[in-house]
Amino acid sequence: MIRFIFLMLMTACISCQSAYAQKQVDTQHLVWTRYSLKAALNERYHLRQEIENRVYWPTWQQHQFVVRTFAERKLSEGWGSGLGFTYFRQTLPHAPDAENYTVRTELRPQLEVSYSQRLREKLSLHHRYWTEFRFFEQAGGGFAYGHNRTRYKLEVRYAVSGRTTLLAFDEIHLNIGRQVALNIFDQNRYGASVKYQASPALGAELGYLNWYQQRASGTDFYNRHILRATLHHFINLKKATSP
């Protein structure tokens, strides 16, 4: 009898631990709309400006708002570098039907290194290495440094024609810092899109993005299905200022 009770208790403990260890996944649906501006200063230097609005679907409640500015420099043989800054606002909690919520601001200085490989005449491979330093808004005012997040993105591009390009990518995010305990793996994003270049100055892109994110608990996750629409705008400032 005692042995039986002992085995039952052990089984219950193991079952509780297994249930606790099982991950909890919260599935959400969102729509992202983005404006992407690229201005060529000359052959080597570019400015990039992105404005993106992120809302839940079908409630259309605000999730995040992002403004990103980058200065880019082309290096030799497909390499490039960039220095940027992101203004980031998000609505908390991360719930599409929350009635009581707060808005938190985050500032992110960023560094970027990119590399482009041409595999075939119409096929190319793009690598992006990105590190950002995250400063979070404090309740008493001001901002405090939280941690670093390093990202790597691999993207395949196939030029169907002179105007249409197919894109597919996968990107992983890692948190680095003393405050990071259980969610060193922050998130993984993968997706695909179609880009149509209507003219040298204007293009449109429509695609799907899956955003799988680990929460601070280490056992809870978000699985977000995202429809993203982008308007691309290119300005040749060197040409525009020429006599």
Side-chain angles (χ1 to χ4, degrees):
M1 185 67 178
I2 296 177
R3 182 179 179 183
F4 175 77
I5 295 175
F6 176 77
L7 290 175
M8 290 292 293
L9 290 174
M10 288 294 295
T11 302
C13 290
I14 294 174
S15 299
C16 290
Q17 290 179 354
S18 298
Y20 180 79
Q22 290 178 356
K23 61 184 180 182
Q24 301 295 320
V25 180
D26 188 4
T27 300
Q28 298 176 342
H29 298 83
L30 298 99
V31 175
W32 292 5
T33 51
R34 178 176 60 166
Y35 170 71
S36 178
L37 171 66
K38 191 170 185 178
L41 303 179
N42 52 45
E43 295 298 326
R44 300 189 66 179
Y45 291 93
H46 297 77
L47 293 178
R48 188 173 83 235
Q49 181 72 55
E50 295 179 2
I51 301 174
E52 187 167 63
N53 192 46
R54 304 171 176 178
V55 297
Y56 294 105
W57 183 85
T59 62
W60 302 110
Q61 183 161 301
Q62 185 77 39
H63 180 221
Q64 296 171 339
F65 180 74
V66 186
V67 179
R68 182 177 292 120
T69 304
F70 256 92
E72 300 176 334
R73 182 176 185 267
K74 288 186 177 181
L75 305 176
S76 60
E77 299 182 0
W79 287 93
S81 62
L83 177 64
F85 184 84
T86 293
Y87 173 82
F88 184 91
R89 288 171 63 89
Q90 64 177 330
T91 302
L92 300 173
H94 296 293
D97 54 356
E99 296 182 359
N100 299 315
Y101 58 85
T102 59
V103 178
R104 188 182 191 186
T105 302
E106 183 182 338
L107 305 178
R108 302 176 181 174
Q110 297 166 319
L111 300 173
E112 177 185 274
V113 176
S114 61
Y115 178 58
S116 178
Q117 295 176 275
R118 181 172 293 277
L119 304 179
R120 298 287 189 274
E121 181 181 355
K122 295 185 176 183
L123 185 65
S124 59
L125 194 62
H126 296 258
H127 308 261
R128 187 182 72 182
Y129 308 89
W130 197 347
T131 186
E132 50 193 12
F133 304 90
R134 308 180 66 181
F135 293 82
F136 296 92
E137 183 180 14
Q138 302 300 296
F143 292 82
Y145 175 69
H147 58 271
N148 170 271
R149 185 167 66 182
T150 297
R151 305 162 57 168
Y152 168 67
K153 179 180 178 181
L154 178 64
E155 184 173 77
V156 180
R157 301 178 186 177
Y158 179 75
V160 179
S161 65
R163 293 178 179 267
T164 305
T165 304
L166 303 179
L167 305 94
F169 71 90
D170 193 356
E171 183 177 24
I172 188 170
H173 301 55
L174 299 176
N175 288 323
I176 302 172
R178 294 182 178 179
Q179 297 183 9
V180 180
L182 300 176
N183 62 329
I184 296 176
F185 163 77
D186 178 55
Q187 60 185 269
N188 184 71
R189 299 180 184 180
Y190 67 86
S193 63
V194 179
K195 182 180 179 181
Y196 178 75
Q197 197 69 31
S199 70
L202 291 175
E205 183 179 349
L206 182 64
Y208 165 79
L209 170 68
N210 181 270
W211 176 5
Y212 194 80
Q213 183 177 27
Q214 185 179 31
R215 301 167 69 175
S217 64
T219 57
D220 300 323
F221 295 80
Y222 289 113
N223 184 28
R224 297 184 172 111
H225 300 281
I226 301 164
L227 178 68
R228 181 168 65 181
T230 305
L231 175 65
H232 294 277
H233 189 192
F234 178 77
I235 301 176
N236 192 338
L237 295 178
K238 180 182 178 181
K239 182 178 180 180
T241 57
S242 298

